[in-house]
Amino acid sequence: MQCDHLINVKNIDTVPARSEIAALVKHDRVHTSLYTSDDLFQLELDRIFGKTWVWVAHASEIPETGSFKTTEIGTQPVIVVRDRKGTVHTLLNRCRHRAATVCEHRSGKTNSFVCPYHGWGYALDGSLRGVPHPESYADQLEKGELGLVSLRTEQYAGMIFATFNDQIEPLEDFLGAAKKWMDLFMKQGAGYPIKTGPAHRFRFPGNWKIQLENTTDGYHFPVVHRSFLSSVDKQTEEMLNFVDGSGYVEDLGNGHSVMVMIPELVDLEANLDAPIPERFSELADALRAEHDEAQVRRIVRAVGGSGFNLNIFPNIACSMAFFRVLQPVSVSETEIHHAVITMDGGPDVANQARLRLHEHFQGPMGFGTPDDSEAWERVQRGATSGEDLWIMLNRGLAGDYRTDDGLRSDVSAETGMRAAYRQWKKLMMENEQ
């Protein structure tokens, strides 16, 4: 007889012990308190977002000296900036004097950061350069020790990650088997550099892990996105009917996973002699005016996006033709950033086609985002009804089989979610002090 119903951690008054955390994540389910407990949320900010690699930017967002963007790691504000030597820094957005943020712009270009409260000035690498009226400090101001706090920062395939944990493994080791999928995803530049546009930002009233699950959840697609499927041509509808197809979900280790929806579009540079889909025929004709047939096919293939969604734990997804970034706000609120990918220097007509496709599904007036958001909100609402309930993650469990990279099951399996929660459990227990 199972004793699952005896666990009640909805209101945790003290930091849970390892045994309590271990009891919340089983091989086929997780306890509903993972969505509703503020104590667990605060612990996640420390043990997950404060201890592992977190995605902060794409290189195209900070292309030149002085280029910067502001974002958050967990709920802590940071600045990602490129210095005069081309080095990328991730700096805590917090003056070392009295803690005021030194930058409030989402992005831009600057020569330095100056605190608006007392005028302390910092160089692009975060070092303290100037203090108004320093004579009042006499010889007690150690400028070399009072730069903006700089986080360990590494990048792979143009994806920039930062961490508060100086002892963590190198980024490439953390990414592991996800690296080959990142390389494949970047092929949608069609020979041009990848460039991200301004993100469409929105919030939903739900826990961040609800959205984390969604990116490799193929099971919901024909149900939640029925209205979207009714808006596309027959050929596209058939292509997106992938639940009964030959795709798969694979656990890539360290919480990362990939959902392959359209296997023939995994490598966008393969089989370029295949017929161009009818929906892209006008685009192909427009491109032929300035490109040879091989490049036309490469660009058209790239515009449609990759045939897979890649989840990189804990906060970034490479999803078909855009980046989806999740930003935890509170235990019951999450901010999502959808940034469409374009070809830097590529044909305007191709980039415009990419934007229209993005708007159709992920844009603020599109079909996909509103439907997903309502589903996520309903999950959070339902999670508050009853204290001893569980979230089931057992779909496809019987079909899991081992590959060189991890575990694989059918495209509608919950393999990716099980992967994420194994990593959640590992970090929440491993980082206990």
Side-chain angles (χ1 to χ4, degrees), residues 254-320:
N254 290 339
H256 317 315
S257 61
V258 64
M259 177 175 67
V260 175
M261 299 166 287
I262 310 169
E264 59 269 27
L265 295 181
V266 164
D267 187 341
L268 295 178
E269 295 183 347
N271 302 317
L272 289 176
D273 56 346
I276 292 175
E278 184 177 347
R279 65 187 179 280
F280 292 130
S281 59
E282 290 187 13
L283 172 61
D285 288 341
L287 290 169
R288 288 187 179 105
E290 297 184 2
H291 299 83
D292 62 35
E293 187 64 22
Q295 185 64 358
V296 166
R297 289 174 172 273
R298 191 179 184 193
I299 293 171
V300 168
R301 179 74 67 82
V303 164
S306 300
F308 60 88
N309 287 353
L310 172 66
N311 243 359
I312 302 176
F313 189 88
N315 75 319
I316 177 70
C318 301
S319 181
M320 295 196 74

Side-chain angles (χ1 to χ4, degrees), residues 12 36 44 74 80 115 126 143 152-153 159 180 188 204 207 240 256 294 311 315 319 347 355 388 410 426 433:
I12 300 175
T36 60
E44 290 169 344
V80 187
C115 177
K143 290 174 64 176
R152 183 174 163 189
T153 303
M159 304 283 277
K180 74 177 183 183
Q188 61 190 280
F204 74 92
N207 188 270
L240 293 174
H256 317 315
N311 243 359
N315 75 319
S319 181
L355 289 170
D388 304 320
D410 72 87
K426 174 187 174 184
Q433 300 299 321

Side-chain angles (χ1 to χ4, degrees), residues 114-299:
V114 179
C115 177
Y117 197 4
H118 297 97
W120 283 34
Y122 301 89
L124 297 176
D125 62 0
S127 58
L128 179 61
R129 286 291 183 251
V131 174
H133 309 295
E135 63 277 1
S136 185
Y137 288 101
D139 59 353
Q140 299 180 31
L141 186 67
E142 297 293 338
K143 290 174 64 176
E145 299 177 5
L146 292 174
L148 299 176
V149 174
S150 183
L151 308 185
R152 183 174 163 189
T153 303
E154 296 180 15
Q155 55 184 302
Y156 180 82
M159 304 283 277
I160 302 170
F161 296 76
T163 180
F164 289 92
N165 184 3
D166 287 335
Q167 306 305 314
I168 197 172
E169 62 193 328
L171 174 64
E172 291 201 24
D173 292 347
F174 170 72
L175 294 173
K179 294 199 301 292
K180 74 177 183 183
W181 293 99
M182 295 169 72
D183 292 336
L184 287 167
F185 191 77
M186 299 308 166
K187 287 189 176 185
Q188 61 190 280
Y192 297 96
I194 290 292
K195 183 178 181 179
T196 63
H200 160 220
R201 299 170 179 240
F202 65 97
R203 293 189 179 193
F204 74 92
N207 188 270
W208 66 278
K209 296 183 293 297
I210 296 172
Q211 194 287 311
L212 179 71
E213 299 167 3
N214 178 261
T215 303
T216 56
D217 181 352
Y219 193 27
H220 81 282
F221 197 90
V223 179
V224 174
H225 300 305
R226 187 177 304 170
S227 60
F228 167 73
L229 291 172
S230 69
S231 74
V232 299
D233 62 86
K234 191 65 177 178
Q235 186 181 28
T236 303
E237 182 183 5
E238 292 174 355
M239 179 185 70
L240 293 174
N241 183 24
F242 55 81
V243 172
D244 296 322
S246 59
Y248 56 89
V249 182
E250 189 163 21
D251 173 355
L252 302 174
N254 290 339
H256 317 315
S257 61
V258 64
M259 177 175 67
V260 175
M261 299 166 287
I262 310 169
E264 59 269 27
L265 295 181
V266 164
D267 187 341
L268 295 178
E269 295 183 347
N271 302 317
L272 289 176
D273 56 346
I276 292 175
E278 184 177 347
R279 65 187 179 280
F280 292 130
S281 59
E282 290 187 13
L283 172 61
D285 288 341
L287 290 169
R288 288 187 179 105
E290 297 184 2
H291 299 83
D292 62 35
E293 187 64 22
Q295 185 64 358
V296 166
R297 289 174 172 273
R298 191 179 184 193
I299 293 171

Side-chain angles (χ1 to χ4, degrees), residues 55 57-64 82 88 155 157-160 194:
W55 185 90
H58 185 263
S60 65
E61 297 180 274
I62 49 169
E64 302 171 333
R82 191 177 297 276
V88 176
Q155 55 184 302
M159 304 283 277
I160 302 170
I194 290 292

Side-chain angles (χ1 to χ4, degrees), residues 56-111:
V56 291
H58 185 263
S60 65
E61 297 180 274
I62 49 169
E64 302 171 333
T65 295
S67 297
F68 70 87
K69 69 171 284 192
T70 57
T71 186
E72 290 80 26
I73 296 180
T75 57
Q76 298 196 56
V78 298
I79 307 167
V80 187
V81 59
R82 191 177 297 276
D83 71 13
R84 288 176 173 80
K85 297 180 179 179
T87 303
V88 176
H89 301 270
T90 305
L91 310 170
L92 273 189
N93 193 357
R94 178 190 188 279
C95 181
R96 295 298 299 276
H97 175 221
R98 297 274 286 281
T101 56
V102 300
C103 183
E104 285 296 315
H105 297 284
R106 285 184 177 173
S107 62
K109 191 173 180 180
T110 187
N111 293 319

